[in-house]
Amino acid sequence: MESRPLRHFVAVAEELNFTRAAERLGISSPPLSRTIRGLETELGVALFERSTHHVALTPAGAVLLAEARGALDALDAAGRRARRAAEPGLVLAVKPDGDAGLLETVLEKYATEPEAVPVTVRLCGWGDHARLLRTGEADAALIADPFDRAGLDTEPVSAEPRVAVLPAAHPLAARDQIALADLELPGVEPSRPDGLRRFLDGVVRRHGVRDLPHLLKLVELGEVVTLLPGSVAARYPRPGVAYRPVPDAPPAVLVIAWPRRSRSMAVAALVRVAASIAG
């Protein structure tokens, strides 16, 4: 199966309209229709239910759409990785303020390694690291755990206690430390770091959080109560924000991640250095 018919199929499946799909692909409708018919013949199944005014995916078409997207993404990523391999250096994805204050240490130690190459740090948004690794736009990433590890390998870099981040006038701010249950964060439990991740993802989506200073301003204004790594308290003191220990909260774990199929000695050296910090 070739990639061109798959790309044409995905366009029709997403538009559910042959005319719009043809415009999106920059071709006319008749050759697009012939390509889809040829793909159906090759597979021996109908991919679309067609009528004069209606186009819908068949069950077989729905399955192929999910598989085709993954296959085309992998193909595009392979091309990017091949181009990246021909370029000097590697790209390390990091969220601003998401390195537990360790980025400079990692880069300084890595520069002393025999396999070291120049490193470009790519600053990325919340949750972008894994996507950049899978698409071949980054060679490694420092990521807060947990996250979707599909297709990736990881090594721990650091683990630190979390702190509650509250408005200074919040009633709980008067305590020396806080129990996780007292924060009443939806879905967050001591044994469920994935629940904390979903909670934080929800805060980012609802409030359009761009970076850590933006999040802290929301806390200061009384719009958000959250949990963050303890190192944030030392690096971002604010008069309107109170940081309090939460002993039973899941720890903040930072890992270094890289594509499972990577064979780069330079990336291996970077991982080795980052893991040595954990040791």
Side-chain angles (χ1 to χ4, degrees):
M1 192 181 302
E2 298 181 357
S3 64
R4 185 179 66 88
L6 281 182
R7 294 188 190 279
H8 288 192
F9 163 75
V10 169
V12 177
E14 291 179 345
E15 298 291 344
L16 293 179
N17 182 289
F18 276 80
T19 301
R20 288 198 301 269
E23 292 173 352
R24 168 174 154 181
L25 294 166
I27 61 176
S28 60
S29 294
L32 177 59
S33 296
R34 287 195 294 272
T35 298
I36 298 302
R37 284 197 299 271
L39 184 58
E40 289 177 321
T41 300
E42 179 182 353
L43 296 175
V45 296
L47 299 173
F48 296 100
E49 296 175 353
R50 306 170 179 84
S51 67
T52 306
H53 304 292
H54 179 74
V55 176
L57 282 167
T58 64
V63 170
L64 182 61
L65 177 59
E67 297 290 344
R69 282 171 170 159
L72 293 172
D73 287 347
L75 188 62
D76 292 340
R80 291 191 192 97
R81 290 193 186 102
R83 290 189 290 272
R84 288 277 311 114
E87 299 171 356
L90 59 81
V91 175
L92 175 65
V94 183
K95 185 173 74 67
D97 303 304
D99 62 340
L102 297 174
L103 178 60
E104 290 185 5
T105 301
V106 170
L107 295 180
E108 287 174 3
K109 291 188 67 174
Y110 174 68
T112 66
E113 292 290 311
E115 302 91 348
V117 297
V119 177
T120 298
V121 175
R122 174 160 179 176
L123 299 178
C124 59
W126 184 276
D128 285 342
H129 314 66
R131 176 185 61 80
L132 293 173
L133 292 175
R134 293 192 185 98
T135 60
E137 296 173 71
D139 303 290
L142 291 173
I143 314 180
D145 207 22
F147 63 97
D148 180 6
R149 299 185 181 212
L152 306 175
D153 281 333
T154 65
E155 284 287 347
V157 176
S158 70
E160 58 179 314
R162 292 189 189 269
V163 293
V165 189
L166 314 156
H170 194 286
L172 292 176
R175 301 184 184 180
D176 292 333
Q177 63 181 34
I178 301 170
L180 184 59
D182 292 337
L183 292 172
E184 299 181 345
L185 305 180
V188 181
E189 301 174 13
S191 60
R192 295 289 302 277
D194 55 327
L196 176 56
R197 185 68 181 184
R198 286 194 294 271
F199 169 77
L200 293 172
D201 286 344
V203 170
V204 170
R205 286 194 303 271
R206 285 194 303 276
H207 297 276
V209 175
R210 298 183 300 274
D211 50 32
L212 184 56
H214 185 184
L215 178 60
L216 294 178
K217 176 54 71 174
L218 291 171
V219 172
E220 199 168 10
L221 293 173
E223 297 185 29
V224 171
V225 169
T226 189
L227 288 165
L228 289 174
S231 59
V232 171
R235 291 185 287 135
Y236 286 90
R238 290 193 174 214
V241 174
Y243 299 101
R244 295 293 181 267
V246 185
D248 61 339
V253 178
L254 182 72
V255 304
I256 185 165
W258 67 97
R260 188 167 294 155
R261 295 180 179 178
S262 174
R263 296 296 180 268
S264 167
M265 296 299 293
V267 171
L270 181 62
V271 171
R272 186 168 60 249
V273 164
S276 73
I277 292 175

